Amino acid sequence: SQQGEEDPQALSIQEGENATMNCSYKTSINNLQWYRQNSGRGLVHLILIRSNEREKHSGRLRVTLDTSKKSSSLLITASRAADTASYFCATAPTGGFKTIFGAGTRLFVKA
Amino acid sequence: SAVISQKPSRDICQRGTSLTIQCQVDSQVTMMFWYRQQPGQSLTLIATANQGSEATYESGFVIDKFPISRPNLTFSTLTVSNMSPEDSSIYLCSVEEGGMGTEAFFGQGTRLTVV
């Protein structure tokens, strides 16, 4: 079964607003990653957070990880129209042999 | 960071035919991964390709339908055989340079439409 479940499935906001996407997973993990996909192209890695980290920043991105709740969130601040894309969380389960991708959130930022 | 060249970027194929997708990596990597992404869906792992050995297929995917070659540490192909409209998807290859569960690098994807 799929490891990561994301919500919302779709999100539409105005340029300048913040966008928050959530990811939940089921088993213990080594790390959790967030990826971005534009228009069905290849995925681009955004950020990796390890299981012993609680928060990580990269530019306008902020990722949190709560291993007790088995959840993570991705916050994009001051969104831009160019942020319009699908965002996927991906987990590396402890002792696992493959990265498992969540269902994704489709973000639409209106100019 | 690895750079992956994947081709073709898209194709429209007749049912019953086969399509081979190629991925070339600019560095040597032990494992390459092939994913399928059906319209509006997430990525589903098809198989893991190791150089010099048979690919390892995930549940629901078989070698006869998705034969994979991995002749060296920088190249792999995935063939979608005897295609039907249900095979219409985006196919993606990726590598994880740092080992399993590390940052993955993806090819640009192949958008396949079967008519």
Side-chain angles (χ1 to χ4, degrees):
Chain A
S1 61
Q2 201 155 270
Q3 171 77 316
E5 299 295 334
E6 293 173 69
D7 76 272
Q9 290 186 332
L11 180 61
S12 181
I13 59 175
Q14 291 291 140
E15 205 166 32
E17 294 180 339
N18 296 340
T20 299
M21 291 160 267
N22 303 296
C23 170
S24 61
Y25 56 92
K26 297 176 182 174
T27 64
S28 62
I29 60 171
N30 291 324
N31 64 59
L32 185 145
Q33 303 172 58
W34 285 90
Y35 289 84
R36 166 192 168 127
Q37 183 181 39
N38 286 59
S39 302
R41 306 301 292 171
L43 277 70
V44 175
H45 184 266
L46 295 176
I47 199 165
L48 180 152
I49 186 166
R50 302 187 191 286
S51 60
N52 61 352
E53 297 176 310
R54 292 297 167 258
E55 187 171 312
K56 205 162 184 179
H57 297 255
S58 177
R60 293 184 295 114
L61 306 180
R62 173 178 169 253
V63 168
T64 63
L65 178 64
D66 187 335
T67 53
S68 66
K69 295 181 180 178
K70 293 186 170 57
S71 67
S72 173
S73 67
L74 170 67
L75 168 68
I76 303 175
T77 60
S79 63
R80 305 166 182 167
D83 294 327
T84 295
S86 292
Y87 292 83
F88 294 90
C89 68
T91 53
T94 304
F97 296 98
K98 60 183 181 181
T99 300
I100 301 175
F101 288 84
T105 293
R106 283 169 285 285
L107 174 65
F108 181 64
V109 181
K110 294 177 281 188
Chain B
S1 59
V3 176
I4 303 176
S5 174
Q6 181 175 346
K7 57 182 181 181
S9 59
R10 60 176 62 228
D11 208 342
I12 301 173
C13 300
Q14 296 290 324
R15 67 178 68 200
T17 63
S18 298
L19 175 72
T20 296
I21 302 166
Q22 300 180 5
C23 273
Q24 178 75 51
V25 189
D26 68 345
S27 60
Q28 294 185 336
V29 292
T30 304
M31 289 190 287
M32 293 181 71
F33 304 92
W34 287 98
Y35 291 89
R36 181 175 72 183
Q37 185 180 26
Q38 295 177 304
Q41 302 297 313
S42 185
L43 280 70
T44 300
L45 183 64
I46 297 172
T48 302
N50 295 319
Q51 191 265 338
S53 64
E54 291 281 333
T56 302
Y57 288 83
E58 297 298 307
S59 176
F61 298 96
V62 295
I63 188 171
D64 290 346
K65 176 67 176 177
F66 297 101
I68 288 170
S69 77
R70 185 79 201 276
N72 57 53
L73 291 173
T74 64
F75 187 78
S76 180
T77 68
L78 169 77
T79 299
V80 186
S81 303
N82 188 26
M83 289 183 285
S84 66
E86 291 71 35
D87 294 320
S88 297
S89 291
I90 297 170
Y91 293 85
L92 297 144
C93 61
S94 81
V95 301
E96 296 175 4
E97 274 192 315
M100 190 73 64
T102 60
E103 177 183 354
F105 300 92
F106 284 83
Q108 304 93 321
T110 297
R111 185 183 294 271
L112 170 63
T113 302
V114 184
V115 298

